[in-house]
Amino acid sequence: GPEREEPVRLLIRSTWVPTWEAAGVPVARLPGHKAAEALFRELSSLQAMSAGALQAKLKGHDFPADLGLGKRELLERLREIALWKHLSVTELLKDCTERIPEVLHDLGVCANAEERRHQLQGFLLDEARLRTWEAVGVPAARLGGAGVEGCLKAADLVARELRSIEAMSLEAVQEWYDSTGL
């Protein structure tokens, strides 16, 4: 009957724990085996994607499209995002405390756990975006001034300017430099 199926299903799932953990699924941090299994499937799917597909997926999370990241870095960012989607509010709060403790004073009041989850995921995504800019040589955290959004917008502008400079001839770069008054 149904009461026998549940323990069997749990036993089968528990045999997957070593496989999930070997694939990078932090089973102990997740709210249960269903979350672990879902994350495992998502991570396996990401692993099978091409660099171009990973870049497109990352762009869907408001990361700039042309960062020049390799497949390893793209996977790393997308694995983090996938994990955050499955973590409990308590675990998300631990990640925020570890990575970006300064945002904890911005928590404010949330109507419910889902709203808090969304807020914490947003903080972690912003931190990942800043970290990604830093990884490609744009000092995003030192730019802007209107919080994280200002830094991200300034980083995008700096990157565009750098790309246009890189496309210039040596003479054009010299002209540009001379025009800056530096």
Side-chain angles (χ1 to χ4, degrees), residues 157-177 179-180 182:
L157 292 173
V158 167
R160 286 182 198 180
E161 185 74 15
L162 287 173
R163 281 191 297 276
S164 73
I165 292 168
E166 287 171 351
M168 293 178 183
S169 67
L170 186 55
E171 294 80 20
V173 170
Q174 186 64 52
E175 269 182 48
W176 171 84
Y177 180 76
S179 74
T180 65
L182 297 174

Side-chain angles (χ1 to χ4, degrees), residues 23-170:
V25 175
V27 176
R29 294 190 67 201
L30 296 168
H33 286 150
K34 284 186 178 187
E37 183 178 1
L39 181 56
F40 174 75
R41 288 176 195 260
E42 195 167 342
L43 296 181
S44 296
S45 172
L46 290 172
Q47 194 70 40
M49 295 173 110
S50 69
L54 293 169
Q55 183 68 51
K57 190 163 182 71
L58 195 60
K59 186 177 183 212
H61 292 285
D62 294 328
F63 282 74
D66 50 359
L67 289 172
L69 296 175
K71 185 172 180 176
R72 195 181 104 256
E73 291 88 2
L74 293 167
L75 268 171
E76 184 180 312
R77 295 298 183 272
L78 288 165
R79 288 172 66 86
E80 287 178 326
I81 294 167
L83 173 62
W84 297 331
K85 191 166 66 176
H86 295 281
L87 289 178
S88 67
V89 170
T90 302
E91 288 296 322
L92 288 167
L93 196 52
K94 284 180 188 175
D95 278 9
C96 284
T97 301
E98 180 183 304
R99 293 170 183 256
I100 40 175
E102 64 275 8
V103 303
L104 297 179
H105 69 276
D106 292 334
L107 287 179
V109 177
C110 288
N112 56 46
E114 198 51 43
E115 189 178 306
R116 176 70 73 206
R117 169 191 304 285
H118 183 72
Q119 179 188 42
L120 295 172
Q121 288 168 336
F123 288 149
L124 290 165
L125 270 171
D126 285 345
E127 186 273 339
R129 290 181 191 112
L130 288 174
R131 198 167 14 99
T132 301
W133 278 118
E134 299 280 341
V136 296
V138 177
R142 296 190 325 228
L143 301 173
V148 173
E149 285 302 314
C151 291
L152 291 170
K153 285 179 183 172
D156 189 48
L157 292 173
V158 167
R160 286 182 198 180
E161 185 74 15
L162 287 173
R163 281 191 297 276
S164 73
I165 292 168
E166 287 171 351
M168 293 178 183
S169 67
L170 186 55

